[in-house]
């Protein structure tokens, strides 16, 4: 029989997460007898490689009687589909609870819908304060969304003639827009260089104007814009000088960058080292291994979704052995 979507997703959870989901399901849907019986039966197949029973056999096991019609089987299938929807809702809820900023944004919307202006004003200030420490691209846009909610709601009175917050909102959008232009252009540039012998010009007219503005004085732009500017310079030049400049920038501003941005930067740097080694240029060997080590320590920037790419794994082992760090390689 076909794979069951609910089990496919359930199998990605850790045992402790399955236990918590089961507790939540039973507490939230205590009166949904059919749903809970179906869950109790199918959860026993969690991460087991045994063949799933037919729907007919499962129905008889769950309800202690044979299915009388196709309608009974469809009801069982609907219960399994409903379990998947419940698991999906649970995982989304858990994700929201883990990320307090998103949760507070939802609360801000609730206050607006409930017409509680004073509480909403307090929430504005609290969220703006929190947004200053945001690192990932989309969370950085929240202040602009907050400004938009505050100043463009038709029911809100004009509090003053000052434009400070409006100007800050424009600055937030500018920073986000410039960084994303660099980010997309960098990836296109990288793919053209890796996958094609003919390197087309990736700079649109719009990007050229942004690039010129940043290259005149990178230091006057936020760290996240500077970061992608130096990645761009590295991808264009691909030489030792641009490699070291990007590497030093990452080292100096590591804590100010989001993990995803650190991850992609390490990949660019280590790919360059791997290419140099392939061309029998070994002078960056030691630095390359140190980059790998730093990517495996702390927040483990090299590891994505609890896994590490097999090519990266072999590159690390080979480089460590070349440098005769066999004890570290064995431990790794």
């Amino acid at each position: 029989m076909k794979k069951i979507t609910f089990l496919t997703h359930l199998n990605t959870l850790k045992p402790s997460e399955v236990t918590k989901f089961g507790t939540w399901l039973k507490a939230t849907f205590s009166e949904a007898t059919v749903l809970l019986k179906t869950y109790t039966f199918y959860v026993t197949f969690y991460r087991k490689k045994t063949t799933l029973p037919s729907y007919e056999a499962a129905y008889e096991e769950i309800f202690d009687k044979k299915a009388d019609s196709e309608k009974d089987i469809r009801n069982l299938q609907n219960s399994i589909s409903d379990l998947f929807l419940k698991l999906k809702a649970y995982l989304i809820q858990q994700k929201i609870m883990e990320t307090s900023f998103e949760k507070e944004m939802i609360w801000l919307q609730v206050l607006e819908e409930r017409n509680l202006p004073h509480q909403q004003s307090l929430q504005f200030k609290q969220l703006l304060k929190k947004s200053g420490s945001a690192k990932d691209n989309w969370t950085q846009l929240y202040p602009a969304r907050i400004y938009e909610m505050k100043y463009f709601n038709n029911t809100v009175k004009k509090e003053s003639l000052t434009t400070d917050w409006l100007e800050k909102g424009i600055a937030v959008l500018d920073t986000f827009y410039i960084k994303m232009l660099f980010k997309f252009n960098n990836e296109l540039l990288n793919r053209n260089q890796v996958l094609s012998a003919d390197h087309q010009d990736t700079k649109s007219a719009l990007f050229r104007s942004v690039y010129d503005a940043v290259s005149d004085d990178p230091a006057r732009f936020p760290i996240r814009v500077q970061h992608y500017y130096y990645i761009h310079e590295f991808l264009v030049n691909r030489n030792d000088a641009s490699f070291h400049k990007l590497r030093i920038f990452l080292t100096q501003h590591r804590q100010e960058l989001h993990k995803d941005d650190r991850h992609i930067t390490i990949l660019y740097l280590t790919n360059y080292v791997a290419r140099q080694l392939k061309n029998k240029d070994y002078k960056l060997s030691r630095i390359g291994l140190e980059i790998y080590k730093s990517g495996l320590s702390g927040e483990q920037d090299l590891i994505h979704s609890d896994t590490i790419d097999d090519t990266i794994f072999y590159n690390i082992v080979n480089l460590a052995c070349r440098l005769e760090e066999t004890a570290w390689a064995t431990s790794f």
Side-chain angles (χ1 to χ4, degrees), residues 78-126:
N78 289 338
S79 291
I80 298 171
S81 297
D82 201 24
L83 279 174
F84 166 65
L85 294 178
K86 298 294 186 289
L87 177 59
K88 179 180 177 181
Y90 172 77
L91 293 176
I92 291 172
Q93 176 182 301
Q94 293 300 110
K95 186 64 178 177
I96 292 173
M97 294 304 291
E98 290 171 4
T99 48
S100 60
F101 201 87
E102 283 85 346
K103 183 171 59 178
E104 295 301 325
M105 279 296 296
I106 293 173
W107 181 239
L108 180 62
Q109 294 171 39
V110 170
L111 293 175
E112 182 179 35
E113 292 167 359
R114 301 296 174 183
N115 194 26
L116 296 167
H118 176 67
Q119 290 81 357
Q120 189 180 7
S121 178
L122 295 176
Q123 183 73 353
F124 275 131
K125 294 176 182 178
Q126 181 181 348

Side-chain angles (χ1 to χ4, degrees), residues 8 18 75-76 82 87 93 108 126 128 134 148 154-155 163 166 169 173-174 182 197 206 210 220 227 307 310 323:
T8 300
V18 174
N75 287 339
L76 173 59
D82 201 24
L87 177 59
Q93 176 182 301
L108 180 62
Q126 181 181 348
L128 285 172
E148 194 272 342
N154 292 330
T155 63
T163 60
L166 295 174
L173 291 173
D174 282 347
F182 269 101
L206 204 54
V210 169
R220 73 185 180 91
H227 177 219
T307 61
D310 55 347
L323 294 170

Side-chain angles (χ1 to χ4, degrees), residues 210-232:
V210 169
Y211 173 80
D212 290 342
V214 176
S215 60
D216 282 345
D217 185 10
R220 73 185 180 91
F221 289 86
I223 292 296
R224 49 188 180 269
V225 171
Q226 294 181 47
H227 177 219
Y228 273 86
Y229 167 75
Y230 287 120
I231 289 178
H232 178 271

Side-chain angles (χ1 to χ4, degrees), residues 1-39:
M1 63 183 294
K2 294 196 305 181
K3 288 184 178 180
I4 292 179
T5 302
F6 166 67
L7 276 177
T8 300
H9 288 75
L10 189 72
N11 286 340
T12 65
L13 273 61
K14 299 175 183 176
S16 60
E17 292 176 316
V18 174
T19 301
K20 290 177 181 177
F21 169 66
T23 302
W24 173 84
L25 190 71
K26 292 169 185 175
T28 309
F29 304 98
S30 58
E31 297 181 3
T33 307
V34 174
L35 182 76
L36 295 179
K37 282 186 175 181
T38 304
Y39 172 75

Side-chain angles (χ1 to χ4, degrees), residues 286-298:
R286 175 59 59 182
I287 290 176
L289 184 59
E290 292 306 316
I291 294 173
Y292 279 129
K293 286 182 177 181
S294 66
L296 294 167
S297 62

